[in-house]
Amino acid sequence: SGQIASFGHQPHQPHSTPASKEVWKKGGRMFSILLAVHLALLACTLVSSGAFEKIAVHDYDVFFLLTVMVLVVIIWIIFYLVSTSRCPDAIPCKDSHAGPIWLRGGLILFAIFSLVMDVFKIGYYSSFYSCLSAIKIIYPIVQAIFVVVQTYFLWISAKDCVHVHLNITRCGLMLTLTTNLAVWMSAVTDESVHKAHSKLKKNMTDELFRWFLRAGIRSSSAEECNCNSQICQIFKNGYFWLYPFNIEYSLFASAMVYVMWKNVGRFIEHHSHHVQRLKFRLFRRTFFVGIMLGLIVLVSGLGVLILYEVQVNSSTEASKKSQALTMYYIFNIVCLGLMSLVCIGGSVIYRFDKRDMDRHKNPTRTLDVALLMGAALGQYAISYYSIVAIVASTPRDAISALNLTYALLMIAQHTFQNIFIIEGLHRQPPKEDHKQDSHQKDLYGLTFVNINAVSLRVPDGGGALAPSAASGPEAIHPSELVRSLTAPKKMNWRRKFLKEISMFLLLSNIILWIMPAFGARPQFDNDTELNFYGDSMWPAIVDICLPFGIFYRMHAVASLLEVYI
């Protein structure tokens, strides 16, 4: 009783499970969620309103709000880093599953391109300093600082389970998440408006284009200024081409910040607290079949993307547009068909896999599954809208048939790939399969055992090995010995096939991310959906859903790297 009484006077011990439970955990989470919801709705309202001419909200109003939010997040990140560094007990444990090296590496890659985009933006807007609001130049500067500070913050703190300033930390992380989502919404809207302007400008005269802008979609403030110099055109085209990287950066950062928010005040169980080390085994123990097929798909996709851009976006001839769409659909049908088949094959291999299911609490895995399922809804929506339009429209031509096949395969591929990846996320790591009991470990210690010699020297009845085997606690049958020695080789075959499948899926998902992210979007160039849903409804559907489909590809790549590579 004395020990229990003395133990009760230590409420801050990091591993005293019952005494260290946070009293207001659900209330603190709820308050931070409400803060994030209100800020997200405010940002969404301003960003969407700023895209239209008839609404009295200007783009510099949107940039002012984003600048304020970004500055507050930068101040909070500095406060977090300083407060946790000064308090030795602020982070008693870390979540080894959070912030894997693949995700942080991808974040740095997208951050570099985002910084280049900000440099191009500053150069572009500086060309019109006399006819633009100062906030248009201030915002990309502040955003570049935000990218640097946040990337450093997530690189060193993604695994933290912080235990100081819990409610302030939750609110700060939710503010960071909301800011990233607001930047993402602004980038998606700006890119969509730019593409709409480019498409209209290609099909209209300059006078009619200006009249249409006055009547409907708002033009950017820079559109009203003259951009005649070559360097100005380079800055303008450059930062619009780099928008996909900034969009992916915001989504990657949001996912990592959400995991940190879930880990605030969390204690890691001893059995799940292990350190994962990066091991470069990309090309070890493989047959290179998946890599070679994936590289063929990747190179072929880049060629299709270049031809598509040249024939569709740079030409007005209907025949070239039809050829480009046919080529695009055929490539995607072949690619999606192969990906669906290998995902089914991987799921069949899982039926013979003896690894146990990992049932431990893991916020990172829960988020991965939710993002895979949620992001796939965007492509599901586009595909189902296309199916309804194609089936209900007449007449039907070859491109409509290819578009229908493409939409059906897109649904099937997302479904089979989600099943394959999610099942891999819930499996124990491969090293868990090598846990044997004591006598099996002794058998594996025999490095130079000749299995054929053992089987010849030891007959079924016992033979020469029987006395030594009987002297142990349990007698080992010779057939059991041979089966134990050959079992790991069978497991390696299954893992090799899973690795080949994952490498092919990884490279295929990369090219399927590159193509829509850099302009190959047949949804805007195929007249079937445009004629069926109208020029206003169908582009809005694609603009809302397509960013989720693009994010799905990158998140699938990150999940495949984490689980199988």
Side-chain angles (χ1 to χ4, degrees):
S1 61
Q3 292 177 352
I4 295 174
S6 63
F7 181 74
H9 291 288
Q10 300 175 0
H12 299 291
Q13 290 292 331
H15 295 288
S16 57
T17 306
S20 299
K21 289 291 184 183
E22 187 183 354
V23 178
W24 205 59
K25 181 177 182 179
K26 292 184 178 180
R29 283 187 174 182
M30 182 59 65
F31 182 78
S32 61
I33 290 173
L34 289 174
L35 174 65
V37 168
H38 286 290
L39 286 175
L41 290 175
L42 174 62
C44 182
T45 303
L46 279 177
V47 169
S48 59
S49 300
F52 296 95
E53 181 71 30
K54 294 181 180 180
I55 302 176
V57 175
H58 299 279
D59 51 0
Y60 49 79
D61 297 326
V62 178
F63 287 131
F64 178 78
L65 173 67
L66 293 177
T67 302
V68 172
M69 294 177 68
V70 165
L71 287 174
V72 173
V73 170
I74 292 173
I75 294 172
W76 176 81
I77 289 176
I78 295 173
F79 165 78
Y80 175 90
L81 294 175
V82 172
S83 61
T84 53
S85 62
R86 290 184 176 181
C87 182
D89 297 330
I91 306 171
C93 53
K94 289 180 177 287
D95 184 2
S96 60
H97 298 284
I101 188 65
W102 312 106
L103 192 60
R104 288 182 290 164
L107 186 77
I108 289 179
L109 176 65
F110 292 135
I112 293 172
F113 285 105
S114 296
L115 291 174
V116 176
M117 184 201 72
D118 289 327
V119 172
F120 280 12
K121 266 189 174 182
I122 295 169
Y124 175 61
Y125 290 136
S126 298
S127 304
F128 315 113
Y129 182 78
S130 59
C131 64
L132 282 181
S133 174
I135 194 67
K136 300 276 286 186
I137 302 175
I138 294 174
Y139 172 68
I141 297 174
V142 175
Q143 187 184 24
I145 299 173
F146 169 70
V147 169
V148 173
V149 173
Q150 181 178 242
T151 304
Y152 173 75
F153 164 68
L154 292 175
W155 179 266
I156 66 171
S157 305
K159 299 178 181 292
D160 290 356
C161 297
V162 66
H163 283 256
V164 293
H165 308 300
L166 298 179
N167 295 324
I168 296 177
T169 303
R170 289 193 180 100
C171 292
L173 289 171
M174 272 298 166
L175 176 63
T176 307
L177 189 149
T178 308
T179 302
N180 280 285
L181 292 179
V183 171
W184 169 75
M185 286 187 288
S186 175
V188 170
T189 304
D190 200 6
E191 185 189 25
S192 300
V193 171
H194 172 72
K195 288 186 178 296
H197 289 171
S198 301
K199 191 174 182 64
L200 287 172
K201 206 167 187 178
K202 185 174 67 174
N203 299 326
M204 295 181 181
T205 63
D206 291 340
E207 184 178 353
L208 185 60
F209 176 69
R210 293 192 187 95
W211 176 86
F212 188 84
L213 290 180
R214 288 195 299 269
I217 301 176
R218 180 190 300 276
S219 62
S220 175
S221 300
E223 296 285 346
E224 303 172 0
C225 305
N226 293 324
C227 182
N228 299 323
S229 63
Q230 186 177 3
I231 188 66
C232 177
Q233 290 293 334
I234 292 174
F235 282 142
K236 179 180 179 181
N237 296 328
Y239 90 80
F240 275 112
W241 273 95
L242 292 171
Y243 256 133
F245 295 101
N246 183 245
I247 291 170
E248 298 301 324
Y249 172 82
S250 299
L251 293 176
F252 269 52
S254 300
M256 296 177 70
V257 169
Y258 173 79
V259 174
M260 287 187 65
W261 178 79
K262 290 286 289 185
N263 283 331
V264 173
R266 181 188 173 202
F267 290 103
I268 305 298
E269 295 83 359
H270 179 69
H271 57 74
S272 63
H273 182 56
H274 61 276
V275 178
Q276 294 179 345
R277 293 181 174 85
L278 177 63
K279 298 180 180 180
F280 291 95
R281 296 180 177 178
L282 195 62
F283 301 106
R284 292 178 58 185
R285 299 181 180 180
T286 60
F287 299 114
F288 296 98
V289 177
I291 298 173
M292 295 306 299
L293 286 176
L295 287 175
I296 291 172
V297 171
L298 181 62
V299 174
S300 302
L302 291 175
V304 171
L305 174 62
I306 295 171
L307 292 175
Y308 186 92
E309 286 290 327
V310 171
Q311 294 185 0
V312 173
N313 296 335
S314 302
S315 176
T316 57
E317 296 182 15
S319 60
K320 289 187 176 181
K321 177 180 176 181
S322 178
Q323 291 175 1
L325 287 173
T326 303
M327 176 184 58
Y328 179 90
Y329 284 131
I330 290 175
F331 169 78
N332 278 270
I333 287 170
V334 173
C335 181
L336 294 172
L338 289 175
M339 293 174 71
S340 300
L341 289 176
V342 299
C343 287
I344 294 173
S347 299
V348 171
I349 293 175
Y350 274 134
R351 305 285 75 81
F352 302 97
D353 198 350
K354 303 301 181 183
R355 285 184 291 169
D356 295 332
M357 302 296 288
D358 187 2
R359 306 184 188 279
H360 298 146
K361 183 181 178 181
N362 189 341
T364 305
R365 182 177 59 205
T366 303
L367 178 63
D368 287 337
V369 174
L371 289 177
L372 284 172
M373 300 297 292
L377 294 177
Q379 193 60 57
Y380 283 156
I382 294 176
S383 298
Y384 280 117
Y385 273 108
S386 297
I387 291 171
V388 171
I390 295 167
V391 172
S393 299
T394 55
R396 302 183 183 93
D397 53 3
I399 293 181
S400 297
L402 291 173
N403 191 8
L404 179 61
T405 307
Y406 166 74
L408 292 172
L409 281 176
M410 187 67 76
I411 295 172
Q413 190 273 327
H414 277 71
T415 303
F416 293 136
Q417 182 170 264
N418 280 348
I419 294 172
F420 176 70
I421 294 177
I422 291 172
E423 191 162 5
L425 288 171
H426 285 83
R427 294 278 177 170
Q428 292 282 359
K431 61 182 180 180
E432 300 292 333
D433 296 339
H434 295 286
K435 291 184 177 180
Q436 295 89 13
D437 52 21
S438 58
H439 78 273
Q440 285 179 325
K441 288 182 180 179
D442 294 337
L443 294 178
Y444 285 117
L446 303 174
T447 308
F448 301 101
V449 172
N450 188 331
I451 298 176
N452 294 326
V454 172
S455 61
L456 288 173
R457 293 182 184 180
V458 184
D460 293 338
L465 199 63
S468 60
S471 61
E474 294 182 2
I476 304 173
H477 199 273
S479 60
E480 211 176 298
L481 170 64
V482 176
R483 190 163 53 250
S484 299
L485 290 170
T486 56
K489 190 175 293 186
K490 295 179 181 178
M491 294 299 296
N492 286 335
W493 280 98
R494 287 194 286 271
R495 290 186 199 128
K496 285 179 181 179
F497 279 117
L498 290 174
K499 197 169 185 179
E500 297 292 338
I501 291 171
S502 64
M503 284 303 305
F504 173 74
L505 291 175
L506 186 147
L507 294 171
S508 299
N509 277 286
I510 288 176
I511 188 59
L512 291 180
W513 169 77
I514 291 174
M515 295 181 78
F518 290 94
R521 302 182 179 183
Q523 297 88 0
F524 291 111
D525 302 313
N526 196 344
D527 296 331
T528 304
E529 290 92 340
L530 284 172
N531 295 333
F532 187 80
Y533 293 110
D535 293 337
S536 58
M537 179 179 176
W538 177 242
I541 294 171
V542 176
D543 287 338
I544 293 172
C545 298
L546 190 60
F548 292 97
I550 296 173
F551 173 72
Y552 171 84
R553 295 298 177 186
M554 288 308 300
H555 191 68
V557 169
S559 299
L560 288 167
L561 285 171
E562 177 66 17
V563 178
Y564 301 104
I565 307 303

